[in-house]
């Protein structure tokens, strides 16, 4: 299988999160300026810098996110500042979910979550899929994991 990228609409979700984070980080500076502890321009400057950095991070995150499903494993490549490459052997897959949170439903997206055998929290999430794409990926991974487990059985 070829390397897959995320649906472009995931950028909308990540940019909205960046805007919300920027507003939360800027709020104390707004309060400080309102109470006259800071100059009036401080919240605007801080807000602009934080917004620029978080939106740039969201857009770069989209460009750096890819995955590939092969006969033996799932390969994920992601990260802006720290590049993370993950390999999940199919024989380690316990179960696979497709998930749609409220924001994802609003923009018509879904995620596929792969739970693996191992330590607590050993799961991999592939965001930015269409609902049909998430369901198809879930079924494909289920099929491949069953086949891999059969080949690995003693």
């Amino acid at each position: 299988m070829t390397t897959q990228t995320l649906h472009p609409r995931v950028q909308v979700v990540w940019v909205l999160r960046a805007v919300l984070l920027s507003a939360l980080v800027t709020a104390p500076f707004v309060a400080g300026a309102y109470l006259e502890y800071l100059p009036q321009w401080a919240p605007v400057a801080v807000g602009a810098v934080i917004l620029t950095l978080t939106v740039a991070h969201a857009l770069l995150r989209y460009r750096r996110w890819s995955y590939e499903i092969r006969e033996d494993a799932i390969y994920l490549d992601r990260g802006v500042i720290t590049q993370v490459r993950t390999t999940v052997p199919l024989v380690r897959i316990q179960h696979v979910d497709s998930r749609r949170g409220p924001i994802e439903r609003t923009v018509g997206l879904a995620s596929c979550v792969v739970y693996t055998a191992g330590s607590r929290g050993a799961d991999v999430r592939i965001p930015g899929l269409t609902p049909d794409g998430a369901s198809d990926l879930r079924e494909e991974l289920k099929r491949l994991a069953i086949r891999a487990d059969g080949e690995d059985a003693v």
Side-chain angles (χ1 to χ4, degrees):
M1 185 176 197
T2 61
T3 300
Q4 302 291 314
T5 58
L6 306 180
H7 195 284
R9 279 193 308 248
V10 76
Q11 293 175 94
V12 173
V13 175
W14 291 346
V15 167
L16 286 174
R17 286 182 185 160
V19 169
L20 180 61
L21 176 65
S22 299
L24 291 172
V25 170
T26 305
F29 292 92
V30 172
Y34 178 76
L35 297 172
E36 297 181 0
Y37 292 122
L38 295 172
Q40 295 295 317
W41 56 265
V44 174
V46 169
V49 169
I50 298 296
L51 182 64
T52 301
L53 291 174
T54 56
V55 168
H57 182 269
L59 297 175
L60 285 172
R61 181 180 176 196
Y62 170 74
R63 294 186 69 197
R64 303 267 193 246
W65 225 113
S66 64
Y67 68 96
E68 185 175 356
I69 310 298
R70 295 188 193 160
E71 293 296 317
D72 63 333
I74 306 167
Y75 298 88
L76 298 105
D77 195 2
R78 61 205 185 279
V80 176
I81 296 169
T82 302
Q83 189 174 25
V84 179
R85 292 188 173 145
T86 304
T87 302
V88 179
L90 295 175
V91 296
R92 304 289 292 169
I93 293 176
Q94 295 293 303
H95 68 280
V96 184
D97 292 339
S98 54
R99 182 179 296 172
R100 295 185 74 197
I103 296 173
E104 289 176 315
R105 280 194 308 269
T106 302
V107 296
L109 293 176
S111 298
C112 189
V113 183
V114 180
Y115 297 91
T116 61
S119 63
R120 183 177 174 205
D123 61 304
V124 173
R125 181 174 175 263
I126 302 173
L129 304 169
T130 63
D132 289 340
S135 292
D136 292 346
L137 181 58
R138 183 187 71 231
E139 292 303 316
E140 179 183 4
L141 290 174
K142 179 180 127 182
R143 181 182 52 76
L144 289 170
I146 289 169
R147 190 168 71 213
D149 191 41
E151 293 172 359
D152 195 45
V154 176

